[in-house]
Amino acid sequence: MRIAILNKDRCQPRRCSKECEKYCPRVRTGDETIVFEEDGKPVISEELCVGCGICINKCPFKAIMIIGLPEALEEPTHRYGPNGFALFGLPVPRVGKVTGILGPNGIGKSTSVQILSGALVPNFGKGKGDWDAVLEHYAGTALHDYFKAVVDGKVRISQKPQYVDMIPKAFKGKTSELLEKTDERGVLDELVDYLDLRGVIGRKITELSGGELQRVAIAACAARDAQFYFFDEISPYLDIYQRINVARLVQELAKERAVMVVEHDLAILDMLADVVHVTYGEPGGFGVVTYPKSVRVGINQYLKGYLPEENIRIRPEAIKFEVHPPREDSALRSAVTFNGFSKQYGEGFSLKATGGSLREGEVLGIVGPNGIGKSTFVKILAGEIKPDVGEPGIDVKISYKPQYIKADTPVRVQDFLRGISKQFGTSYYEVEIAKPLQLERLYDNILTDLSGGELQRVAIAACLSQEADLYILDEPSAHLDVEQRSMVTKVLNRFAENNQKTAMVVDHDIYMIDMLSQRLLVFEGKPSVYGEAHGPFNMKDGMNKFLKNLSITFRRDEETRRPRVNNLGSRLDREQKESGDYYYAAAD
């Protein structure tokens, strides 16, 4: 079985010669495999298509996908019309449990939530949906009872959006005004204290940072009186301590209600969820939601790229983790040195950094809580802001990707990248940067129309495309799915090693830092009051220093060697704290 997908946003029949129809072998023999509707866009007959792939290669705008589906799939749960995205299966909300959804972006998670909320009636690939047909289809299953409650109006949904940076565009008032509107359970004061929002409650939404907006959005979602809560990514812009804190809040909420979470930080998903549904397919083409799996089994299968119960390989290669921390290599010569400096913001926050050296061909990870000065530190190195005392004294060219990315100019992606890089379009650029970051399909898109994850990948490519000696990236994992994060780590490591360049990466995703870094710079202090930069350290010493300050320990999964958060006060947690091994257990 195969399906044909047409991206109608990319398809521009007025700017092409209808190559899809012109070169289709079935059309040339007289079949109506491809016909054009009144809007001028093609409709591809999936029954007549032989899957030759010629239309895919001939389409100048890369708007067509012909996808061979796994044989086990039957009719879709929902399809957005002929040649539209198809979703197979649905996650199942369970009262008293946190249900996790694990998979790439563009695979149908938003469609699933629309269906579960009752806003979209599943049509099983046959035109308009009908609730009677839905109830009949799911008779005898847990979803029948759930959808019956939806139809009867007994299910209220509370949803936290994925892109919290869009909130200021929809609401211009004070934080307190927004939260008071959502406080249907009378728990606002508790949530404000628990999420450490007391200091921002009187400020305007437009003045909040990304981390503050994220916590406000989580509080607003949790404050509503609903039967089903959906959190679309809780980790972006939050540090590891805040992520664990929010995970515990979500678990508390799930004791009497159904909670579903999409999360790409696997350490947090592992800690927070009771079961997971793995999703796979072709982003923008089709998505499949598996039956629920235990959290450890589901995450491990996803990392390996093979689902035994479904008997399908979802990725050619496994995502692997180092068993031992990378060793310090004294053979690498020092490429960049910086002097100590300090920065004071009025009577408020102050930052102090000692000098250090960075090595040729290495990626240096930067870790620490939010509000501790990491972004201020890299902005000073990049020359974005000036220190009050001392100067970094860096005499090399720097390329900098900021934490918060904004697209202000409505230009095509390829025009934007071509304007900043002499390498754009070369074989090196396409193989080492564009292809791994999946940029080809974005080239004809307008920069201001990109999603958060798409914009992040373009920003990373823009940073690496510039001629520089030091590359600084602030939180490159935000809004990227697990596979994209893994690919970004490979791109950065390969880029630094092959070109003998130095990179600095600020991020809160422990998995990404673990795969990416050769050494660590650790920030300590009191958030929003003062911060100090220490290091660089080797990975083991740096992570132990960082996690000791947070009183959090990690262990290695025996099967995949991925980091896993130990339960606070558990036997392993106590033993590792006593031995001083907060990140790499003695057995490693």
Side-chain angles (χ1 to χ4, degrees):
M1 179 181 174
R2 69 175 61 88
I3 60 174
I5 303 295
L6 176 71
N7 187 326
K8 292 192 175 183
D9 292 333
R10 299 181 61 84
C11 179
Q12 301 183 48
R14 293 182 181 179
R15 294 178 54 196
C16 73
S17 301
K18 298 184 178 179
E19 286 87 348
C20 55
E21 178 190 43
K22 181 179 178 181
Y23 291 100
C24 176
R26 294 301 297 265
V27 170
R28 298 176 77 169
T29 60
D31 289 334
E32 293 187 337
T33 307
I34 299 178
V35 297
F36 288 83
E37 294 185 315
E38 292 181 2
D39 62 359
K41 299 192 177 184
V43 174
I44 304 170
S45 170
E46 293 167 349
E47 290 77 18
L48 297 177
C49 175
V50 295
C52 65
I54 293 176
C55 60
I56 301 174
N57 296 318
K58 292 294 184 181
C59 176
F61 303 107
K62 305 298 181 186
I64 298 172
M65 290 189 287
I66 306 296
I67 303 168
L69 296 179
E71 292 182 4
L73 294 181
E74 298 176 356
E75 66 181 10
T77 303
H78 187 78
R79 191 165 191 191
Y80 290 97
N83 301 149
F85 177 85
L87 174 68
F88 296 83
L90 281 175
V92 184
R94 291 172 175 79
V95 176
K97 292 186 180 297
V98 178
T99 302
I101 303 179
L102 174 59
N105 290 326
I107 213 77
K109 296 186 288 288
S110 297
T111 299
S112 298
V113 175
Q114 282 187 285
I115 292 173
L116 293 173
S117 68
L120 182 65
V121 184
N123 60 14
F124 305 110
K126 300 172 183 176
K128 191 176 181 180
D130 177 73
W131 278 121
D132 290 334
V134 172
L135 294 176
E136 182 180 348
H137 180 87
Y138 289 108
T141 70
L143 277 174
H144 175 274
D145 297 336
Y146 177 82
F147 280 131
K148 185 68 170 63
V150 169
V151 173
D152 294 341
K154 296 179 180 178
V155 175
R156 290 193 65 203
I157 309 293
S158 180
Q159 182 175 352
K160 187 206 83 70
Q162 179 181 11
Y163 301 117
V164 296
D165 48 352
M166 302 298 288
I167 294 175
K169 296 182 180 180
F171 186 85
K172 302 294 183 183
K174 289 186 176 181
T175 304
S176 57
E177 295 171 355
L178 174 63
L179 291 177
E180 285 166 4
K181 287 182 179 180
T182 64
D183 187 24
E184 298 170 350
R185 298 197 294 128
V187 293
L188 182 57
D189 282 343
E190 297 172 31
L191 290 171
V192 166
D193 289 334
Y194 190 84
L195 295 172
D196 194 23
L197 292 172
R198 192 64 64 184
V200 304
I201 201 78
R203 287 160 55 189
K204 291 183 178 179
I205 285 289
T206 52
E207 298 173 350
L208 302 188
S209 68
E212 291 164 345
L213 279 173
Q214 186 71 267
R215 284 177 284 139
V216 167
I218 291 167
C221 178
R224 292 195 180 278
D225 188 12
Q227 288 73 47
F228 172 42
Y229 293 84
F230 180 79
F231 293 87
D232 198 345
E233 293 192 41
I234 61 172
S235 66
Y237 309 124
L238 301 186
D239 62 40
I240 183 64
Y241 180 79
Q242 291 169 332
R243 293 179 184 197
I244 289 176
N245 210 34
V246 169
R248 289 170 180 158
L249 171 65
V250 171
Q251 288 176 318
E252 190 67 27
L253 189 64
K255 287 184 177 180
E256 298 178 355
R257 302 159 194 267
V259 177
M260 193 168 287
V261 178
V262 173
E263 184 49 61
H264 299 303
D265 184 332
L266 296 185
I268 297 303
L269 182 66
D270 185 26
M271 168 194 173
L272 126 86
D274 297 298
V275 296
V276 295
H277 291 269
V278 175
T279 59
Y280 65 92
E282 180 70 34
F286 78 101
V288 181
V289 182
T290 69
Y291 289 112
K293 304 173 183 283
S294 71
V295 180
R296 180 177 177 274
V297 168
I299 292 177
N300 284 355
Q301 288 181 2
Y302 184 77
L303 291 174
K304 290 178 180 178
Y306 177 68
L307 308 177
E309 293 86 358
E310 291 76 12
N311 192 26
I312 188 166
R313 179 160 291 283
I314 61 174
R315 191 185 315 106
E317 296 179 355
I319 297 175
K320 296 180 180 179
F321 294 85
E322 294 284 346
V323 176
H324 297 285
R327 294 180 180 177
E328 195 171 333
D329 190 351
S330 57
L332 294 176
R333 74 178 185 88
S334 176
V336 180
T337 59
F338 59 93
N339 303 321
F341 56 84
S342 62
K343 177 71 177 177
Q344 177 76 44
Y345 288 96
E347 298 296 323
F349 180 78
S350 65
L351 169 68
K352 182 180 179 181
T354 56
S357 63
L358 310 175
R359 293 172 178 163
E360 199 175 65
E362 84 166 343
V363 179
L364 181 78
I366 300 178
V367 295
N370 275 337
I372 207 75
K374 300 185 302 299
S375 293
T376 299
F377 174 81
V378 296
K379 284 179 181 178
I380 290 175
L381 291 187
E384 296 283 314
I385 57 179
K386 295 288 185 182
D388 296 321
V389 178
E391 284 289 341
I394 294 180
D395 57 356
V396 299
K397 194 171 182 181
I398 296 173
S399 179
Y400 169 61
K401 185 203 82 69
Q403 180 180 13
Y404 304 119
I405 310 164
K406 292 183 179 179
D408 300 321
T409 310
V411 298
R412 290 194 307 165
V413 170
Q414 62 176 329
D415 294 334
F416 168 74
L417 292 173
R418 185 181 286 114
I420 63 174
S421 173
K422 295 178 181 178
Q423 292 184 330
F424 182 85
T426 63
S427 58
Y428 169 81
Y429 178 89
E430 294 300 324
V431 171
E432 297 296 327
I433 297 177
K435 188 174 180 180
L437 294 178
Q438 303 167 338
L439 297 181
E440 298 99 324
R441 287 187 169 271
L442 301 180
Y443 280 162
D444 288 318
N445 291 17
I446 302 300
L447 200 63
T448 51
D449 294 338
L450 299 182
S451 69
E454 292 168 341
L455 190 60
Q456 186 72 261
R457 285 181 279 138
V458 170
I460 292 169
C463 179
L464 298 181
S465 298
Q466 299 184 58
E467 284 294 328
D469 301 295
L470 173 60
Y471 295 81
I472 302 176
L473 298 96
D474 196 347
E475 202 153 343
S477 72
H479 304 309
L480 299 185
D481 61 41
V482 175
E483 296 188 39
Q484 290 167 343
R485 294 181 189 198
S486 174
M487 189 54 67
V488 166
T489 64
K490 291 179 182 177
V491 169
L492 286 172
N493 275 323
R494 193 161 53 223
F495 179 86
E497 184 177 351
N498 292 347
N499 297 286
Q500 292 300 293
K501 302 292 186 180
T502 305
M504 301 178 76
V505 177
V506 179
D507 213 281
H508 296 296
D509 187 328
I510 294 295
Y511 280 44
M512 192 163 181
I513 288 291
D514 182 69
M515 292 190 289
L516 185 69
S517 310
Q518 281 80 53
R519 294 192 298 163
L520 285 181
L521 199 65
V522 181
F523 277 70
E524 297 179 328
K526 187 174 181 181
S528 302
V529 179
Y530 72 95
E532 297 178 354
H534 299 280
F537 302 98
N538 64 42
M539 279 294 290
K540 181 174 182 178
D541 293 343
M543 287 304 299
N544 279 338
K545 186 176 182 66
F546 169 52
L547 294 176
K548 184 176 182 180
N549 294 333
L550 299 177
S551 195
I552 295 167
T553 60
F554 278 79
R555 67 188 185 279
R556 291 279 186 183
D557 182 80
E558 295 178 358
E559 191 174 350
T560 62
R561 312 308 294 163
R562 62 185 172 88
R564 302 185 70 189
V565 181
N566 288 325
N567 291 328
L568 188 65
S570 66
R571 178 183 59 80
L572 273 176
D573 182 58
R574 296 194 308 271
E575 288 178 355
Q576 287 182 222
K577 285 177 179 175
E578 288 172 5
S579 65
D581 291 316
Y582 282 73
Y583 193 59
Y584 297 108
D588 289 340

